[in-house]
Amino acid sequence: MTSELFKIGIVGAGAMGAGIAQVAARAGHRVSVFDTNKEALVTSRKKLEELLNRLVDKNRMSEEDAGHLFNRIVWVSTLEDLAGSNLVIEAIVENLEIKKKVFSELEGLVDQECILASNTSSLSIAAISSSCNNKARVMGIHFFNPAPFMPLVEVIPAIGTDLKLIDSVVELMKKWNKTPVTAKDTPGFIVNRIARPFYGEALRIYEEGREGLPEGIAGFATIDWAMREIGGFKMGPFELMDYIGNDVNFAVTESVFSAFFYDPRYRPSITQRRYSEAGWLGRKSGRGYYDYSDNAEQVKPLKDKELGNKIVDRIVCMLINEAVDAVYLRIASADDIELAMIRGVNYPKGLLAWGKEIGYNKVLSQINELHKVYNEDRYRTSPLLSKWAKES
Ligand SMILES: NC(=O)c1ccc[n+]([C@@H]2O[C@H](COP(=O)([O-])OP(=O)(O)OC[C@H]3O[C@@H](n4cnc5c(N)ncnc54)[C@H](O)[C@@H]3O)[C@@H](O)[C@H]2O)c1
């Protein structure tokens, strides 16, 4: 079937729905976008038009291509308008009951062969699919924000999903110029699970001491400096939380934590909760860990190499342990885990390769050392890390 005949339906015209519609239209599909909020439809249409005009002005797209892309998308006012779709991707509010209702309505509208997918970041695909009689065609297709620019897509089969459909969606994502990885239907899938210590361990270090105080470890400016300059990450954890929004990042952490039956390894931070409660959300509110007002004076990092190395080692070892545990629990293949962290969150290298480079025995002893100091299950190592440490 040509792209033109393979029709895509999108439910939700917010940040993600609009971005996914653009990706599908760029790949040549006809796309219908539905949203219950008429304003969201108008806004997303207008934003796309403005974006395409900018791309044409900058000579990054021809006027003809931009016109074709735009004309392939229709913004529709009823869910029934998605009836002729071959694949529907839902990107509405992160609420299980509302998503289930949409899936059960969709099931009665579309053909038997139509694939139904959710872009959920944190809900279980099995729970969403429970609202459908035919669960074989329900899956997760998880894009990253902004969808047109982020290459990674996690494709997630639920318990009852037909794996042949997973294979065809993986192929389809490649045609959309994306990097698909397949993940188990577990909390946070690959990226949002493995990345937790990037924020959590950084917050933990910060909670122990601020810049200017004699005790403690380091403040957020120093942690960010170390992770960027020594660790090679594009952004430090605090800059990134400010960019994502403390409310959004906290909600993901809390949801992963509760979905893991309150495993202490994923425990959220009181500090971040307070920032979120106070409305210090980050860039979008003008104030987060950093002050985004004009001429604001920023806290200076302590550029102490030895301290910086300690910070990076601690956070990176915790990340490596998560990645190794994800291999152990068969959340995804080792290759997909490496790809996911590089292409989904721009990590400077794959965490498994990084573990090898440092030496798994060193990673193990670093975390065991933390366990000795804090005596918390948060510093629990994966059985596979112990095995690889013995072999390294
Ligand atoms: N924002 C991100 O960084 C990100 C990344 C990956 C996945 N996601 C997931 O994508 C989904 C959408 O997130 P978003 O950031 O685009 O949200 P958003 O708030 O920008 O947009 C959601 C849209 O859904 C619409 N909507 C709500 N209920 C609806 C219904 N019953 N039928 C049709 N439309 C409805 C709203 O009017 C709104 O326009 C969520 O499941 C989220 O977890 C978000």
Side-chain angles (χ1 to χ4, degrees), residues 216-378:
I217 305 171
F220 55 81
T222 302
I223 300 169
D224 277 352
W225 164 79
M227 292 301 277
R228 255 193 342 259
E229 300 299 319
I230 302 174
F233 290 85
K234 289 236 160 66
M235 285 174 112
F238 294 91
E239 292 172 284
L240 188 53
M241 287 184 276
D242 269 0
Y243 179 77
I244 296 169
N246 274 305
D247 51 342
V248 173
N249 189 260
F250 181 74
V252 175
T253 309
E254 205 178 26
S255 142
V256 169
F257 179 54
S258 68
F260 272 122
F261 310 112
Y262 307 103
D263 182 337
R265 240 172 46 194
Y266 304 104
R267 180 174 291 146
S269 140
I270 295 281
T271 300
Q272 192 177 32
R273 168 173 252 171
R274 291 290 179 266
Y275 270 70
S276 179
E277 286 168 346
W280 287 27
L281 307 181
R283 282 182 179 275
K284 63 184 173 189
S285 70
R287 179 76 221 229
Y289 302 105
Y290 295 94
D291 186 347
Y292 297 94
S293 57
D294 292 341
N295 308 321
E297 209 177 302
Q298 300 296 357
V299 183
K300 301 249 177 333
L302 294 172
K303 295 187 179 175
D304 173 336
K305 211 78 205 257
E306 201 185 319
L307 172 64
N309 278 326
K310 250 195 213 162
I311 294 167
V312 173
D313 279 355
R314 177 164 164 178
I315 300 174
V316 168
C317 284
M318 291 292 277
L319 286 167
I320 292 168
N321 186 43
E322 275 309 320
V324 173
D325 207 43
V327 176
Y328 177 63
L329 295 171
R330 294 182 294 150
I331 303 307
S333 70
D335 286 349
D336 277 1
I337 286 172
E338 294 293 76
L339 258 184
M341 304 316 284
I342 296 171
R343 315 282 323 254
V345 268
N346 285 323
Y347 280 13
K349 22 187 154 170
L351 291 168
L352 302 173
W354 210 337
K356 229 179 192 174
E357 195 182 297
I358 298 173
Y360 281 118
N361 51 346
K362 290 207 182 110
V363 176
L364 182 77
S365 54
Q366 159 88 300
I367 303 178
N368 281 341
E369 206 45 53
L370 290 166
H371 192 268
K372 243 191 245 158
V373 173
Y374 297 105
N375 201 17
E376 283 176 55
D377 208 28
R378 170 190 185 83

Side-chain angles (χ1 to χ4, degrees), residues 58-213:
K58 288 184 184 161
N59 284 329
R60 284 171 52 198
M61 198 183 234
S62 74
E63 202 167 344
E64 198 187 1
D65 285 350
H68 283 319
L69 192 160
F70 191 71
N71 289 330
R72 279 188 212 110
I73 306 180
V74 285
W75 283 263
V76 299
S77 54
T78 68
L79 196 64
E80 284 75 14
D81 290 317
L82 305 188
S85 308
N86 302 99
L87 162 67
V88 177
I89 303 176
E90 164 278 310
I92 65 165
V93 57
E94 191 76 333
N95 175 305
L96 180 60
E97 288 318 310
I98 303 179
K99 284 194 196 283
K100 277 168 77 172
K101 193 163 167 279
V102 165
F103 272 73
S104 116
E105 278 172 34
L106 275 171
E107 182 169 50
L109 293 173
V110 296
D111 295 344
Q112 270 306 313
E113 287 73 37
C114 174
I115 296 169
L116 301 179
S118 174
N119 185 52
T120 180
S121 304
S122 63
L123 300 171
S124 124
I125 308 299
I128 295 172
S129 76
S130 70
S131 62
C132 293
N133 291 317
N134 175 9
K135 296 171 181 57
R137 51 143 153 203
V138 181
M139 65 176 71
I141 306 185
H142 184 223
F143 288 81
F144 288 74
N145 192 14
F149 302 106
M150 297 302 287
L152 191 76
V153 177
E154 294 175 331
V155 182
I156 307 122
I159 294 174
T161 311
D162 177 352
L163 294 182
K164 283 203 282 303
L165 295 181
I166 295 291
D167 292 343
S168 17
V169 166
V170 165
E171 286 314 307
L172 182 70
M173 290 302 115
K174 287 182 190 159
K175 286 194 193 130
W176 289 12
N177 261 330
K178 294 290 172 192
T179 305
V181 291
T182 313
K184 249 192 193 172
D185 182 17
T186 48
F189 310 127
I190 304 176
V191 169
N192 281 336
R193 170 199 191 110
I194 296 178
R196 298 290 23 106
F198 186 73
Y199 316 104
E201 207 48 33
L203 280 156
R204 184 60 192 255
I205 294 170
Y206 169 59
E207 280 165 357
E208 286 189 36
R210 287 159 178 274
E211 252 105 26
L213 291 178

Side-chain angles (χ1 to χ4, degrees), residues 38-52:
K38 301 264 177 308
E39 224 165 87
L41 288 172
V42 174
T43 309
S44 75
R45 188 174 192 275
K46 195 163 153 254
K47 274 195 183 158
L48 178 63
E49 197 171 14
E50 287 166 1
L51 173 82
L52 292 173

